[in-house]
């Protein structure tokens, strides 16, 4: 495949079938013209994982906030399809935020949809190798080149038991940057006591990018 | 907005003509690469041909896509997957409206403004004169580049039929609603997709329907093997089957589905499958089989109440609808800018890039065997990257231009097609996209 992806036989001849997608939304009181933010959880979670802290915080700072539960059991292509379909259904060019294996769905979606910006939180980008434990037992995959060249931020923690600092560096380098680190936090950054720090940093970064 | 002392000098900005599908994707992709864009649209809203409110829209009430959703949508903005395989024209319009809103394109479009002339300034730039559609004072601005996306399905191509006709003759461009056909005797002229659709509308409304075609066509059904036909056809392309084998499979498929239409009096095709623009209709054979549509040969002349046909027979319709297509028109450009021949056929590299004017690009002037939007998208990506390369690395841009201009037509238009005006811009979508891909790759910065 070249850097461009013009010939899409798979999508043309075998389109991903439609599915019901659950989207939790929280809109700010006033429309300040900010782009919508779409959160994508990893396989072990649903949209609810963002509902308690990150969704209200994002809406509180003036961004229309949405969280998607991709179809259950979907393969990586179907999960990325769900992200792109949801993003394209929102009224404005959307910011994609993926957590864990949700970041892999976002990375793949970036090859299809020109996001306004993207954030990969504690990203688990490889595909699991059957029979090996999750940690390290993954095939490295090269994410597609994002269309529309959006700014991409990688966020993580050196103390994450699932994603190593090396993997974070590698993920950030793939997008030409360095990861933004939050020492002392575990993998589930949006559920911890200090949940506010990373989301505030993400929204600060986003505000600077717009 | 203007940072030059002369308010008419838009410096590095690009002028886009038209806010239909091709113009919208041009604006989006130019903006994405950081260009300032002014888009001029003569109507007061987006959508071009797909906006039935527009004067120049050719769509009629029953028009649905003839290419299925995945082969029609812009590659970076999918249509909702809950939509049908073949959306209605009103869904296509709402899709284009959402595309425009989603990417914030409206603020770069000057609605109700028509481009009346575009003249090269000699230094690569363009002087573009615009006027509000209702008349009024004109205004001239300078741009660094001109992207023409004014569509090619709005200027009716009217057949020259000698004689006088006492009934009503209407070009398909003016056909909107099947109520016009109710209870009347109708002759539909033209075997393309529009002619077939109108004949089918007439079969359900009119008291008598004749369908006149000059030649036989391959009428493909919309579904084969339980899938949209274009998706099945692309599977064959994916396997890189040679064209002869694909033609054989096509003939077999038609034999097994639509069947032989010559038994209804339809002329046999005088060409092989894939040698003319695809006609996709499941309903025409159905109404032929129910005797609701009578195939007749070419029209020779009008004679008072009668229409004389090529076989010498005469019919007496109340209404004649000529679905004889459209011709491209660029009234604001001197023909030599597009290297147009005496028939008005432009000669452009990839049907898009003007050969002598590196800052002039036409988007959407292709007739693919798929939806047009993906091709228009990648054309405008290539145009935007080309214009950027000219600015950032002129030496490399020259090298790319030299290499591209040496490529023969057959490099990107391999299809052998029936030699008619209808097929001037016929391309195979896969071959064509491969050529655009090679151009895009050539313009990549050296690793």
């Amino acid at each position: 495949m070249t850097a461009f992806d013009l010939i899409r036989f798979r999508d043309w001849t075998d389109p991903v079938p439609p599915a019901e997608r659950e989207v939790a939304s929280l809109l700010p009181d006033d429309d300040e013209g900010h782009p919508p933010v779409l959160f994508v959880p990893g396989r072990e979670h649903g949209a609810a994982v963002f509902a308690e802290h990150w969704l209200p915080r994002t809406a509180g700072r003036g961004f229309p906030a949405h969280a998607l539960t991709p179809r259950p059991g979907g393969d990586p292509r179907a999960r990325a399809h769900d992200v792109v379909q949801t993003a394209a259904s929102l009224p404005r060019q959307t910011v994609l935020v993926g957590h864990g294996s949700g970041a892999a769905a976002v990375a793949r979606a970036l090859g299809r949809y020109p996001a306004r910006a993207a954030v990969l939180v504690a990203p688990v980008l490889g595909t699991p190798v059957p029979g090996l434990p999750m940690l390290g037992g993954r095939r490295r995959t090269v994410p597609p080149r994002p269309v529309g060249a959006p700014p991409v931020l990688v966020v993580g923690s050196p103390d994450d038991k699932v994603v190593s600092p090396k993997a974070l560096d590698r993920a950030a380098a793939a997008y030409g940057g360095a990861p933004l680190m939050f020492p002392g936090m575990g993998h589930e950054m949006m559920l911890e006591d200090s949940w506010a720090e990373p989301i505030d940093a993400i929204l600060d970064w986003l505000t600077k990018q717009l | 907005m203007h940072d030059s002392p002369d308010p008419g000098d838009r410096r590095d900005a690009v002028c886009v003509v038209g806010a239909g599908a091709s113009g919208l994707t041009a604006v989006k992709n130019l903006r994405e690469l950081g260009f300032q864009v002014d888009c001029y649209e003569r109507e007061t809203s987006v959508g071009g041909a797909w906006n039935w409110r527009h004067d120049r829209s050719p769509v009629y009430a029953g028009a649905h896509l003839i290419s299925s959703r995945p082969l029609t949508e812009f590659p970076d903005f999918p249509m909702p997957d809950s939509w049908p395989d073949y959306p209605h024209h009103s869904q296509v319009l709402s899709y284009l409206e959402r595309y425009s809103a989603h990417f914030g394109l409206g603020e770069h479009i000057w609605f109700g403004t028509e481009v009346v002339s575009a003249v090269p300034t000699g230094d690569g730039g363009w002087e573009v004169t615009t006027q509000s559609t209702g008349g009024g004072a004109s205004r001239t601005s300078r741009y660094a580049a001109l992207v023409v996306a004014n569509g090619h399905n709005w200027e009716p191509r009217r057949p020259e039929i000698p004689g006088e006709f006492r009934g009503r003759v209407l070009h398909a461009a003016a056909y909107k609603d099947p109520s016009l056909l109710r209870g009347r005797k109708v002759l539909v002229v033209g075997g393309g997709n529009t002619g077939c659709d109108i004949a089918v509308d007439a079969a359900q409304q009119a008291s008598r329907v004749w369908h006149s075609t000059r030649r036989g066509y391959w009428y493909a059904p919309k579904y084969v093997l339980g899938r949209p036909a274009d998706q099945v056809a692309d599977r064959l392309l994916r396997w890189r089957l040679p064209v002869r084998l694909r033609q054989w499979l096509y003939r077999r498929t038609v034999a097994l589905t639509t069947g032989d239409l010559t038994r209804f009096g339809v002329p046999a095709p005088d060409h092989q499958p894939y040698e003319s623009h695809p006609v996709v209709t499941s309903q025409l054979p159905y109404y032929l089989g129910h005797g609701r549509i009578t195939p007749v040969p070419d029209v020779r002349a009008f004679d008072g109440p009668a229409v004389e046909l090529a076989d010498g027979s005469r019919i007496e319709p109340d209404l004649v609808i000529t679905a004889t297509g459209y011709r491209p028109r660029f009234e604001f450009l001197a023909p030599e800018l597009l290297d147009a021949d005496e028939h008005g056929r432009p000669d452009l590299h990839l049907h898009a890039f003007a050969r002598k004017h590196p800052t002039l690009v036409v988007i959407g002037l292709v007739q693919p065997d798929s939806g047009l939007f993906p091709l228009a998208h990648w054309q405008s990506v290539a145009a935007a990257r080309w214009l950027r390369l000219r600015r950032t690395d002129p030496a490399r841009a020259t090298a790319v231009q030299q290499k591209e201009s040496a490529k023969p037509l057959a490099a990107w238009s391999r299809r052998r097609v029936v030699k008619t005006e209808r097929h001037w811009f016929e391309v195979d979508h896969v071959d064509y996209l491969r050529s655009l891909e090679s151009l895009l790759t050539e313009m990549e910065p050296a690793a």
Side-chain angles (χ1 to χ4, degrees), chain A:
Chain A
M1 199 174 83
T2 62
F4 302 94
D5 185 15
L6 283 74
I7 315 285
R8 298 186 177 176
F9 280 131
R10 180 120 196 253
D11 291 343
W12 295 339
T13 62
D14 183 21
V16 176
E20 288 285 324
R21 289 176 284 265
E22 183 203 331
V23 180
S25 299
L26 206 55
L27 302 180
D29 295 336
D30 297 311
D31 181 1
E32 296 165 32
H34 288 315
V37 178
L38 176 62
F39 293 97
V40 181
R43 280 181 185 277
E44 57 283 8
H45 295 295
V49 75
F50 297 107
E52 195 181 347
H53 303 307
W54 282 21
L55 226 47
R57 184 63 138 217
T58 304
R61 296 217 10 205
F63 292 87
H66 308 270
L68 161 75
T69 307
R71 70 187 69 197
D75 65 6
R77 178 169 166 253
R79 290 170 61 81
H81 170 89
D82 287 344
V83 175
V84 174
Q85 280 280 321
T86 309
S89 75
L90 297 173
R92 281 197 282 262
Q93 212 172 351
T94 301
V95 177
L96 301 178
V97 183
H99 173 261
S101 61
V106 165
R108 199 171 167 139
L110 292 177
R112 282 285 179 275
Y113 168 77
R116 187 71 182 77
V119 185
L120 309 181
V121 183
V124 178
L125 293 182
T127 47
V129 177
L132 288 175
M134 187 165 113
L135 190 60
R138 292 184 168 267
R139 215 171 272 129
R140 267 192 224 172
T141 44
V142 183
R145 178 158 90 172
V147 292
V152 179
L153 175 70
V154 172
V155 173
S157 161
D159 305 307
D160 186 335
K161 296 280 187 292
V162 178
V163 185
S164 66
K166 222 175 182 177
L168 288 171
D169 283 339
R170 213 163 38 227
Y175 296 96
L180 186 60
M181 294 295 224
F182 293 87
M185 295 192 84
H187 184 63
E188 319 285 3
M189 301 180 105
M190 58 288 193
L191 297 177
E192 299 204 6
D193 289 343
S194 52
W195 59 266
E197 287 173 38
I199 189 62
D200 279 338
I202 288 168
L203 295 170
D204 289 345
W205 173 81
L206 200 53
T207 309
K208 227 179 283 170
Q209 292 298 326
L210 300 175

Side-chain angles (χ1 to χ4, degrees), chain B residues 17-40:
Chain B
V17 185
S22 296
L24 290 174
T25 193
V27 175
K28 175 198 158 276
N29 287 305
L30 285 160
R31 293 280 310 149
E32 212 164 85
L33 281 202
F35 286 95
Q36 292 267 334
V37 180
D38 288 344
C39 172
Y40 296 107

